Amino acid sequence: EQATIGKIKSSVMTLNEMFESLLNISKLDSLSYQSSQKLFSVEKLAASLKEIVKPHALHKNLEIQFELQVKSAVGDDALLSQILLNLINNAIHYTDQGSVKVSFCAVDDCLHITVTDTGCGISIDDQSRIFDEFFRVDKTRGQHDGLGLGLSIVNRLCKLIGAEISIHSQLDLGTTFTVATRYAVAASDVQLHARDVNDRMDGAKKISILGKTIAVIE
């Protein structure tokens, strides 16, 4: 009975993940996602991600590491969180032993994140297709029951926030995904806050609602 219940639970979780992926694709297709620009704590973002993925990593006896070289940035932390959550979960799914490492650093004053695993790796031929919808690598089909939408969603979200994603991988040696955002980083929260306020003031000057009508529809 416990084995049967376990299989049912696993099937329900898989179905939920599939529905969530399809809904996210639908939202992206309907352009209902909108990117925002605000000051956020990279430390809080990393802590939240670690809290979510740590049980999954522990279940597979994998070491999960977060390395932070920056404290704060300006951008859409919610969309960035979705991107990184997909990448980290993928890394855990396809890694049977070793570790998954997530690094946050500044490159040319912009936030860059790398997700590195010691998993099975991806062949050169498959690397050109992994961001396609419903594409799944033949070698790893048995390891995950997904629809092959995770990396497609990641790619779309990266475009939405103006980030670039790249991959470096070798078969049986692991994979590294790099997300190069345009999110500004600074040495201190005060400096970032000042820059964020200035950007908002500049935006307010450009956009005026004078003479226009505001409709609130509930």
Side-chain angles (χ1 to χ4, degrees):
E1 289 175 351
Q2 287 181 347
T4 302
I5 291 172
K7 290 179 181 178
I8 292 171
K9 183 178 179 181
S10 176
S11 297
V12 169
M13 290 176 64
T14 300
L15 282 171
N16 283 337
E17 289 174 2
M18 289 180 175
F19 280 127
E20 187 175 354
S21 295
L22 289 170
L23 285 171
N24 284 338
I25 284 288
S26 177
K27 287 179 182 178
L28 290 170
D29 284 340
S30 66
L31 301 178
S32 61
Y33 269 84
Q34 290 186 347
S35 179
S36 64
Q37 294 292 315
K38 63 179 181 180
L39 177 69
F40 69 90
S41 167
V42 174
E43 292 178 318
K44 288 182 180 179
L45 173 63
S48 174
L49 290 170
K50 187 174 183 178
E51 190 73 21
I52 295 170
V53 303
K54 189 176 180 180
H56 188 189
L58 290 176
H59 181 71
K60 297 190 69 176
N61 293 319
L62 299 175
E63 184 182 2
I64 183 81
Q65 303 173 345
F66 282 79
E67 183 181 88
L68 280 68
Q69 297 179 17
V70 295
K71 290 186 176 181
S72 304
V74 175
D76 194 318
D77 58 328
L79 292 181
L80 181 60
S81 177
Q82 289 189 45
I83 292 169
L84 298 180
L85 196 57
N86 267 297
L87 291 177
I88 298 169
N89 277 328
N90 254 21
I92 296 172
H93 274 308
Y94 298 115
T95 302
D96 290 329
Q97 57 183 354
S99 63
V100 174
K101 183 178 180 180
V102 185
S103 300
F104 296 80
C105 65
V107 177
D108 296 328
D109 293 327
C110 290
L111 179 64
H112 283 215
I113 308 101
T114 59
V115 179
T116 303
D117 64 61
T118 57
C120 57
I122 303 170
S123 69
I124 295 295
D125 291 338
D126 288 331
Q127 287 179 33
S128 62
R129 301 181 59 196
I130 57 171
F131 294 110
D132 294 344
E133 291 179 10
F134 303 108
F135 176 75
R136 295 173 64 196
V137 177
D138 290 335
K139 181 182 177 182
T140 58
R141 280 179 182 269
Q143 293 177 253
H144 186 33
D145 296 324
L147 292 173
L149 287 174
L151 290 179
S152 175
I153 292 172
V154 165
N155 191 39
R156 291 189 186 203
L157 289 174
C158 282
K159 291 179 179 177
L160 188 59
I161 67 172
E164 295 183 0
I165 184 167
S166 58
I167 177 176
H168 175 75
S169 182
Q170 289 181 282
L171 283 175
D172 302 321
L173 293 178
T175 301
T176 296
F177 283 96
T178 301
V179 178
T181 78
R182 298 176 184 174
Y183 292 179
V185 299
S188 68
D189 291 350
V190 175
Q191 185 179 344
L192 269 175
H193 181 66
R195 188 186 307 178
D196 187 36
V197 169
N198 288 334
D199 289 344
R200 289 174 184 270
M201 291 178 66
D202 290 341
K205 292 175 183 177
K206 294 176 185 176
I207 303 171
S208 173
I209 61 171
L210 187 63
K212 296 181 180 178
T213 301
I214 298 175
V216 180
I217 302 171
E218 181 177 356

